[in-house]
Amino acid sequence: MTVVPSQSPAPDTDGGTGGSAAVPAARAVTPAGHGTGPAPAPASRKFLARAALVTASLSIAGSLLGLVRDQSLARLFGAGSDTDAFLVAWTVPEIAATLLIEDGLAIALIPAFSMALARRARGEPGDPVRALVAATLPRLCLAFAATAALVAAVAPFLVQILAPGLPEPGLAVDCTRLTAISLLAFGIAGYCSAALRAHRRFVAPGAIYVAYNTGIIAAMFLLGRTWGVRAAAVGVAVGGCLMVLVQLPSLWRQLASRTPAIEGTAGDAQERPVRLALIAAVLLFALCRQSQVLVERFLASSLPSGAISHLNYAQKVAQIPMTLSLMVCTVTFPVVARALADGDTERARDRVERDLVLSSCVVMTGMGAVIACAPQMIELLFQRGAFTVSDTEATSDVMRVYALGLLGQMLVGTLVRSYFSAGRPSWYPLAVMGAGIAATSVIGAVAVRPWGVAGIAAANAFGITVTAVLMLTGLRASRRGSPHSLSLRVRPVLAELSRPVLAAVVATAAGAFAASRFASPVAGLAAGCLSVTGVFVALSLALGVQGSASAVRSVRTVTRRLTHGHFR
């Protein structure tokens, strides 16, 4: 295979400054043992850093609006039976978001779109990208619509299965039927998001949760007085529609353009259409992973009123560091998929190993802050209106336990992309996720009576950690001879991960001490977070955490460019 010189970056078709974050793929390379071309040029670190910064910034904005959403829910409806009923109904869109937006369609479709874009770049007749859309989108839309109708029809049975101990199932049924509308919207939004990320466009997909949470917040305040908590369910449906609308203009421009969005050519890469087995494997894994929420709410439904709400608020806050850590993988997943399509497994492996270490640094810093400052966070975010001091104490206790599983959550979210990056089905992730769910269910059933919601959170942390260990081990056993498989150097990876873990333990202790010195929750939170961050960064540099110094330099470079208005 001949190395083709990289083309100029594709023009910004999203319009305006900052309208897109186009990340050029690495150039086509000669796989090991197939010729003697020059060494592959890695994807531009600056472009990856800038795209990651844009994605993370929009994710932070969406998360902040998510906190405002949860604050509004707590203030308007408290943590009682009405809120529990809505949260049971909210299980449906939460599962749909994982299946169709976060871990489902994106993992299945990005490799397919990457291959179509490579064929378009080779100048094949017709337009492979439009052909892929024509072959998949109508059928998927029909499936999404049918599923939404089915969920609305069987809402009473769903509520009975999800929360058999709920005191007011009628309200939960109404909310479930309203949120079922979001299934169609989420499916289309997830499809658009996968297509745009394959085109290396990250602004519109990154903005979907800003639009989603805006819709929910607006509906709660506009309709809350007359519709009660049902207004939040209406907001979920409205927010799902806004997710689609915010992406359609950018996707239309990409589909209308014949300009190659990926540099280089794919050489001998063969077309691999989206297969039912691949979609089934990805969606079943995502469904199994999301069933953790089902297990938790099923167990919590037998506890006193408000238990589901405490668990929900704790999860929403504690998951923010995990969500931010996965932004790195969101940006680099198309790069890994393209490297495997070119047969360059070494470059793909190196990229994934760097992502694991960098993501662990992000999630461990956040985990330290969550554990050290949990009471201050919950008091500032939620303690107002119908949300009382006792709710703050219960929620912060649960959040600290739940945070112990964040590293496992991050590892699972990162590693599952490695199994499907080549666009091939794999059933191993589903099997190990099933083992993790079994562990969560058994431990949760045993621990729920003596420890209540904290026991459920501990079971969650243990189960997801088991899954992460098994998934990491599975990548070590991958077929090394296959040009489209991915194997990790597990022992070096574990050695690298142990360093940020050690730094996080010390940083958490320092942050807890600093936060306890102040009576004011604002001062305590500020002191705790600053202490955690400062100690973690200092120890990471001292311990030689891989990429810590280069990450600091990349952030400085990007922020300087943003300050001077050079980011386009």
Side-chain angles (χ1 to χ4, degrees):
M1 184 188 299
T2 304
V3 177
V4 180
S6 63
Q7 302 166 350
S8 301
D12 182 353
T13 56
D14 280 351
T17 63
S20 69
V23 183
R27 290 169 287 189
V29 298
T30 302
H34 289 76
T36 58
S44 168
R45 182 176 297 175
K46 290 183 180 179
F47 272 96
L48 288 175
R50 288 157 62 184
L53 181 62
V54 168
T55 305
S57 299
L58 289 170
S59 177
I60 290 172
S63 297
L64 290 175
L65 278 174
L67 289 176
V68 174
R69 174 203 67 205
D70 292 340
Q71 287 175 326
S72 303
L73 184 67
R75 181 172 184 173
L76 293 172
F77 310 112
S81 58
D82 284 2
T83 309
D84 285 353
F86 166 71
L87 292 175
V88 170
W90 205 4
T91 304
V92 174
E94 281 181 327
I95 293 176
T98 300
L99 290 176
L100 305 177
I101 299 175
E102 297 165 12
D103 294 336
L105 287 183
I107 295 175
L109 291 176
I110 284 178
F113 272 104
S114 297
M115 183 58 62
L117 287 165
R119 292 172 55 223
R120 174 194 273 184
R122 292 202 304 269
E124 292 192 9
D127 188 339
V129 177
R130 295 178 192 171
L132 176 62
V133 173
T136 56
L137 184 57
R139 296 177 182 178
L140 288 174
C141 285
L142 183 61
F144 300 148
T147 304
L150 179 62
V151 169
V154 301
F157 302 100
L158 279 177
V159 170
Q160 182 63 29
I161 293 172
L162 293 174
L166 203 65
E168 295 185 28
L171 179 59
V173 170
D174 292 344
C175 291
T176 300
R177 285 174 171 156
L178 290 169
T179 57
I181 301 171
S182 67
L183 296 181
L184 174 60
F186 280 12
I188 300 174
Y191 190 96
C192 295
S193 179
L196 286 170
R197 284 171 178 160
H199 281 82
R200 313 294 163 83
R201 296 295 184 265
F202 296 98
V203 171
I208 59 177
Y209 285 107
V210 174
Y212 175 63
N213 289 321
T214 300
I216 298 176
I217 294 168
M220 284 195 294
F221 279 100
L222 291 175
L223 304 175
R225 289 184 178 275
T226 55
W227 286 33
V229 79
R230 293 178 180 84
V234 173
V236 171
V238 172
C241 296
L242 293 178
M243 280 180 155
V244 178
L245 294 177
V246 79
Q247 295 183 95
L248 282 181
S250 181
L251 181 60
W252 178 261
R253 285 192 289 269
Q254 297 304 317
L255 295 179
S257 171
R258 282 301 305 257
T259 303
I262 298 181
E263 297 184 7
T265 64
D268 343 338
Q270 300 294 320
E271 177 184 2
R272 292 195 298 273
V274 181
R275 290 179 288 177
L276 179 60
L278 172 62
I279 295 178
V282 173
L283 293 184
L284 286 174
F285 168 82
L287 180 61
C288 187
R289 183 181 180 186
Q290 192 63 22
S291 65
Q292 283 183 311
V293 177
L294 305 182
V295 172
E296 293 167 5
R297 291 184 179 170
F298 178 87
L299 295 173
S301 67
S302 62
L303 296 175
S305 178
I308 295 177
S309 299
H310 297 151
L311 188 61
N312 171 74
Y313 293 132
Q315 287 177 337
K316 291 298 188 293
V317 178
Q319 282 184 343
I320 291 175
M322 185 268 293
T323 303
L324 293 178
S325 69
L326 292 179
M327 292 302 100
V328 177
C329 306
T330 299
V331 171
T332 59
F333 181 41
V335 176
V336 175
R338 181 59 188 273
L340 287 176
D342 290 339
D344 190 357
T345 55
E346 183 176 354
R347 177 159 59 94
R349 181 199 64 196
D350 291 343
R351 179 73 262 170
V352 172
E353 290 178 353
R354 288 196 298 270
D355 290 348
L356 283 173
V357 177
L358 181 56
S359 297
S360 70
C361 290
V362 175
V363 79
M364 294 306 291
T365 305
M367 186 188 78
V370 167
I371 295 175
C373 309
Q376 292 86 351
M377 288 181 181
I378 298 301
E379 181 177 351
L380 286 173
L381 291 173
F382 301 118
Q383 191 176 308
R384 57 184 59 85
F387 199 93
T388 65
V389 174
S390 61
D391 291 326
T392 295
E393 294 175 352
T395 303
S396 59
D397 289 343
V398 174
M399 189 166 74
R400 280 174 164 159
V401 178
Y402 184 83
L404 298 176
L406 289 180
L407 180 60
Q409 296 278 5
M410 181 279 297
L411 288 173
V412 170
T414 302
L415 293 172
V416 70
R417 289 166 168 81
S418 303
Y419 283 93
F420 298 108
S421 293
R424 298 173 183 274
S426 174
W427 300 103
Y428 181 77
L430 176 61
V432 299
M433 191 70 245
I437 293 300
T440 299
S441 302
V442 172
I443 295 174
V446 172
V448 66
R449 289 195 178 275
W451 295 304
V453 183
I456 298 174
N460 178 297
F462 182 83
I464 199 65
T465 302
V466 168
T467 302
V469 171
L470 292 175
M471 290 187 72
L472 189 59
T473 304
L475 285 174
R476 180 183 59 186
S478 296
R479 296 172 298 163
R480 297 181 182 274
S482 171
H484 297 289
S485 65
L486 181 62
S487 297
L488 298 183
R489 295 165 291 197
V490 174
R491 287 187 179 179
V493 167
L494 290 176
E496 286 294 334
L497 290 177
S498 66
R499 298 176 184 179
V501 170
L502 176 59
V505 171
V506 178
T508 301
F513 176 79
S516 66
R517 298 299 94 187
F518 297 90
S520 167
V522 176
L525 179 60
C529 290
L530 289 174
S531 298
V532 169
T533 304
V535 172
F536 185 88
V537 171
L539 285 178
S540 296
L541 293 172
L543 294 172
V545 175
Q546 186 183 62
S548 57
S550 61
V552 173
R553 289 195 298 270
S554 297
V555 171
R556 288 176 178 173
T557 300
V558 171
T559 52
R560 282 200 301 267
R561 293 178 65 87
L562 286 172
T563 301
H564 291 88
H566 291 163
F567 180 53
R568 294 291 186 266

